[in-house]
Amino acid sequence: MSSTEQGTSSAAPAEPTTAPESAAAPEVPESFYYVHGKDKVVHKVSAGALQHSALIHGMISNLGYTEEQAKANPFPFENIDGDILQMVVDWCNQHKGKPTPPEDTNLPKQKEKLFDLVLAVNYLEIKELLTYCCKQVAMMVKGKSPEEIREIWMIPTDAEDEAAEKEAKKRAGKEAAGETAAAAGDAK
Amino acid sequence: MSISFLDLPGVPMKLIMEKLDLQSVQCLRKTCWNLRNFIDDVKPESNLSDLKISIIEDTVFLSVEFGEKCRNLVYKNHENGCLLEFRYDSKPLIFLENTNNLEIAVRDIQLLLDSKNSGILQKLSISLDKKCSEISGIAKFRKNFLKVQNFSMSFREETELLDFLPFFNPSSLKEIRLYIGRENVGKVFEFSEISKLDQWKNAKILTLNTFFMMENLETFKEVTMYLENISVDIILKFKKVFLTSASMEKAEISFYNFDGDEQLDEIFGEPVRHVPKIQWFFEILEG
């Protein structure tokens, strides 16, 4: 992505967008940027909504894209699943320019999804959403015994972990021995 | 492949720990070596607010408050180990075989205090029936100064106070309460060492049930003494300190016995009598 001088882009034409119309300061045209995740589905998001993400906000400030450049160069987040990025974009849109409430109950209840969301939000540096997600994870732990936590989150015990490590080392040893033997065979 | 809890990076992991109560963090710590190392390393902050430690005849009593939640633990010495009792709680007794009750209690105290690094412990009270080096290590051997706002201790010698006071964060300590047992009533303490400490100089409120050299009181804003017997001499000294101190706003002596009423009339003149109060007013000279 090339850097150009600070863009004063105009608002994009009416297009299907996940961003609600900005209620504040309608006379100033809003800038839009584009992001995509692993599934390459491009999401159009307003600069106002993206302000929640310190990472994207920094990118926008540094790159200074014009509207056309922004459209042509969506920010790629290959490490984030499409559905997770959609969740993040939706959250940013919902909370655009608004003070964030003390709690957010619309987070995924499924632990895998929640962990993926934590990873994505941590990467994108969305402080408030990260706090909500972490609170949700913490609620899953509260009042549980170590055994219950292990079961819920599939955490191996020290003994299981040690056995798995030994097994992995054994496999690596075998593999290395195989490679040495193959190399010796080649040399002959 | 979906990620597991153990794959979460340090920042969210720390945030999660900070949203948990200390007991839940300890449960997490017991799950695996990975989390154990993380928790021991990061030492997540808890909302521990008050800690009272007392030892009476080899039994350790802990009163632990997390905001509005309070737990009372008793560590008793048993034939072959330690008997742990949760007082005012329906939890069953726990017997820890081949252990020493003092060691177990000290380990628990350290664990509690490990969760106070950036935050302030509002109250720390210590009452030991004899000098105990294990307990005195709880503040002394920490990497960082413990932030205590209100410290109270019953003591016999100044040296016992020196096991704790110098190891508190001087800017956090606001109130010091010192008590002596009945066996030391009447003993005059000089506090020559502790009065040199920044912790002493920075604290604002001092409460004690003994008399000591007044020269070391000037830095406090409020001083209260609970004394068995007072004399005119004590009152005059106290008055002098109060009138000359630049920072003192309130000085109070509560007492049981005083038989110098008439003498006071002679020295201070006729008081203003508003029953049950008898008041004398003195001018504070500028400068």
Side-chain angles (χ1 to χ4, degrees):
Chain A
M1 275 184 243
S2 62
S3 163
T4 62
E5 64 187 62
Q6 187 66 41
T8 49
S9 56
S10 59
E15 236 180 274
T17 169
T18 48
E21 284 203 356
S22 170
E27 68 278 2
V28 181
E30 198 171 14
S31 315
F32 285 88
Y33 292 87
Y34 301 81
V35 293
H36 74 74
K38 211 183 269 180
D39 61 358
K40 309 279 184 208
V41 175
V42 176
H43 305 267
K44 181 184 175 186
V45 202
S46 69
L50 286 176
Q51 275 204 339
H52 282 292
S53 162
L55 177 81
I56 303 180
H57 186 64
M59 287 159 90
I60 292 170
S61 321
N62 290 330
L63 293 168
Y65 277 168
T66 61
E67 185 69 27
E68 289 71 32
Q69 283 169 323
K71 204 168 184 179
N73 301 294
F75 296 128
F77 297 111
E78 304 284 352
N79 51 345
I80 302 175
D81 282 342
D83 57 339
I84 298 291
L85 189 63
Q86 178 74 61
M87 270 187 225
V88 174
V89 167
D90 288 347
W91 188 89
C92 289
N93 281 328
Q94 275 167 20
H95 297 91
K96 183 173 78 169
K98 286 185 212 161
T100 44
E103 266 184 65
D104 196 327
T105 48
N106 293 325
L107 298 172
K109 304 279 180 283
Q110 218 187 331
K111 58 179 186 291
E112 289 82 7
K113 282 265 174 284
L114 186 59
F115 291 163
D116 281 336
L117 186 61
V118 170
L119 273 191
V121 170
N122 181 53
Y123 177 71
L124 296 171
E125 296 173 54
I126 305 175
K127 209 176 147 194
E128 291 91 348
L129 185 52
L130 184 63
T131 308
Y132 295 142
C133 291
C134 289
K135 199 170 175 187
Q136 177 113 338
V137 178
M139 293 307 285
M140 291 176 167
V141 181
K142 252 185 190 167
K144 303 266 189 319
S145 70
E147 292 73 25
E148 285 170 321
I149 298 170
R150 260 193 226 119
E151 203 171 306
I152 296 168
W153 286 347
M154 290 177 293
I155 297 172
T157 60
D158 286 356
E160 285 165 354
D161 197 48
E162 209 173 300
E165 207 167 303
K166 262 187 194 167
E167 197 61 35
K169 264 187 191 165
K170 214 188 260 180
R171 276 199 304 274
K174 269 185 192 169
E175 200 115 311
E179 271 174 25
T180 325
D186 285 349
K188 278 182 188 174
Chain B
M1 204 176 96
S2 64
I3 64 154
S4 98
F5 179 69
L6 298 177
D7 297 324
L8 295 181
V11 173
M13 196 69 110
K14 198 172 167 216
L15 266 175
I16 293 166
M17 305 278 176
E18 280 170 4
K19 305 226 171 286
L20 288 171
D21 53 85
L22 190 65
Q23 202 175 342
S24 300
V25 171
Q26 289 309 310
C27 285
L28 258 186
R29 190 183 171 276
K30 283 183 181 174
T31 55
C32 66
W33 66 268
N34 205 325
L35 286 174
R36 189 164 59 242
N37 289 349
F38 181 82
I39 291 166
D40 289 347
D41 199 28
V42 170
K43 297 186 171 51
E45 200 69 17
S46 78
N47 64 339
L48 172 71
S49 51
D50 288 22
L51 177 62
K52 290 191 188 83
I53 306 165
S54 47
I55 302 184
I56 304 166
E57 291 174 357
D58 292 334
T59 299
V60 185
F61 298 84
L62 290 191
S63 169
V64 189
E65 277 185 51
F66 297 93
E68 287 171 6
K69 267 190 190 170
C70 182
R71 274 268 160 89
N72 289 282
L73 302 131
V74 184
Y75 302 76
K76 285 181 187 162
N77 204 353
H78 204 263
E79 271 172 39
N80 190 23
C82 163
L83 197 62
L84 177 57
E85 182 188 324
F86 297 87
R87 216 160 250 200
Y88 320 118
D89 216 319
S90 54
K91 280 193 168 198
L93 294 175
I94 296 176
F95 179 63
L96 301 155
E97 209 178 345
N98 294 326
T99 54
N100 175 285
N101 69 324
L102 182 61
E103 275 173 28
I104 299 282
V106 168
R107 197 194 61 189
D108 283 358
I109 294 167
Q110 272 165 345
L111 210 136
L112 287 162
L113 295 179
D114 270 353
S115 74
K116 285 320 264 188
N117 290 300
S118 54
I120 292 178
L121 180 65
Q122 283 167 17
K123 245 183 184 174
L124 176 65
S125 310
I126 296 171
S127 163
L128 314 172
D129 62 359
K130 57 177 183 249
K131 199 171 158 68
C132 174
S133 57
E134 288 89 344
I135 297 286
S136 59
I138 59 168
K140 211 186 270 187
F141 303 128
R142 276 172 66 95
K143 257 199 290 185
N144 50 2
F145 278 173
L146 192 61
K147 290 180 182 166
V148 177
Q149 192 174 308
N150 177 323
F151 172 63
S152 75
M153 185 171 179
S154 61
F155 71 104
R156 284 158 297 271
E157 302 289 338
E158 188 183 346
T159 51
E160 289 172 66
L161 301 172
L162 288 168
D163 282 336
F164 295 94
L165 262 184
F167 308 101
F168 297 150
N169 186 315
S171 50
S172 309
L173 195 64
K174 300 273 177 284
E175 188 168 352
I176 301 173
R177 290 167 176 263
L178 303 176
Y179 302 101
I180 53 157
R182 293 199 67 84
E183 70 278 11
N184 280 328
V185 168
K187 190 170 167 181
V188 177
F189 290 88
E190 286 190 25
F191 291 158
S192 53
E193 287 302 313
I194 64 165
S195 59
K196 287 180 199 152
L197 300 172
D198 286 341
Q199 287 82 350
W200 181 267
K201 289 174 190 161
N202 288 358
K204 299 280 173 264
I205 302 172
L206 177 72
T207 305
L208 12 102
N209 71 342
T210 180
F211 177 74
F212 76 105
M213 301 319 235
M214 299 288 190
E215 295 80 50
N216 302 324
L217 281 177
E218 295 104 346
T219 53
F220 289 95
K221 204 170 161 188
E222 274 184 48
V223 176
T224 309
M225 282 189 192
Y226 294 94
L227 301 177
E228 196 100 336
N229 305 304
I230 58 162
S231 62
V232 172
D233 185 43
I234 288 179
I235 295 174
L236 289 177
K237 276 185 181 164
F238 210 42
K239 175 181 162 250
K240 191 181 166 199
V241 173
F242 181 65
L243 293 181
T244 51
S245 160
S247 47
M248 208 178 287
E249 290 173 7
K250 186 184 158 199
E252 188 180 323
I253 303 180
S254 288
F255 58 90
Y256 288 108
N257 306 312
F258 176 59
D259 49 15
D261 300 42
E262 285 166 16
Q263 254 180 301
L264 282 188
D265 286 3
E266 276 171 30
I267 299 166
F268 296 147
E270 189 63 24
V272 180
R273 291 179 198 274
H274 291 295
V275 179
K277 278 185 192 167
I278 302 172
Q279 295 170 312
W280 282 275
F281 293 93
F282 304 101
E283 193 180 355
I284 297 173
L285 297 171
E286 288 289 326

